[in-house]
Amino acid sequence: MADSSVAFGSVPTELGDVLAAVTDDGLVATAFTDSPHIRAAISARLGLAEADSPSAAAGILGQLREYFGGRRQVFELDVDWRLMSAAQRRVLRTLYETVPYGKVVTYGELASRSGSGVPPRGIGSIMGSNPIPIVVPCHRVVAGDGLGGFSGGTGVESKRRLLTLEGYLPPGLW
């Protein structure tokens, strides 16, 4: 894969066809839907051409299959943080590095833990703009009085399903 391209692949899950976008630097984006429009939007945002390289995304796709199959708790991959501002990167990297599988943190706790100076409401906005959901686990950030919001997939229902998969929430009747 050339340094001036991005490779894509997707894996079917109960939440939809989860898309992964990979550059030479690592995983740069995920989405809860795979479509030519979403691929084109990611390529345009990166300013990179789409690579015809199915093998480039194979590693992350295998890890996503294992995660959704309940066989992986830690993603072992390089993350390409380029689609984030410095403040987003600081908060999301703190989340990625300090909130493990099956655990949650509140918006306020993440604000404090990241040392970013971003208030809890701003943390919510950063979670909503996370370009790498699932792997950079914004679903693990909750409100002090409940699950809080979620902009990925089908919204809070997707958040609930991810937290149930990770064992944080008990299985429901949905």
Side-chain angles (χ1 to χ4, degrees):
M1 186 170 71
D3 188 40
S4 59
S5 63
V6 56
F8 294 94
S10 65
V11 59
T13 76
E14 69 175 27
L15 298 178
D17 291 338
V18 173
L19 175 69
V22 180
T23 67
D24 283 342
D25 293 330
L27 179 68
V28 71
T30 56
F32 286 89
T33 305
D34 186 2
S35 74
H37 172 75
I38 292 172
R39 290 178 181 219
I42 292 170
S43 294
R45 192 162 170 217
L46 290 166
L48 299 176
E50 182 174 343
D52 182 19
S53 179
S55 63
I60 180 57
L61 296 178
Q63 290 185 47
L64 284 166
R65 278 188 205 89
E66 292 170 357
Y67 171 80
F68 281 101
R71 298 180 312 277
R72 175 172 291 276
Q73 295 184 2
V74 176
F75 289 98
E76 297 170 0
L77 49 83
D78 292 326
V79 175
D80 181 340
W81 302 95
R82 77 175 84 183
L83 291 177
M84 301 168 207
S85 70
Q88 288 172 312
R89 188 175 301 125
R90 184 167 185 169
V91 169
L92 289 168
R93 194 181 281 259
T94 299
L95 170 65
Y96 181 71
E97 294 173 353
T98 68
V99 183
Y101 184 96
K103 303 292 184 192
V104 298
V105 64
T106 66
Y107 296 101
E109 289 167 343
L110 185 56
S112 176
R113 188 181 291 184
S114 70
S116 63
V118 175
R121 184 167 295 252
I123 297 295
S125 294
I126 289 173
M127 295 307 105
S129 65
N130 177 10
I132 315 175
I134 302 167
V135 174
V136 177
C138 51
H139 61 279
R140 296 181 191 153
V141 183
V142 299
D145 61 353
L147 288 181
F150 195 67
S151 59
T154 56
V156 175
E157 180 59 28
S158 292
K159 184 175 194 170
R160 186 181 323 277
R161 287 183 178 268
L162 290 168
L163 291 174
T164 299
L165 171 71
E166 294 186 5
Y168 177 77
L169 292 175
L173 300 174
W174 54 74

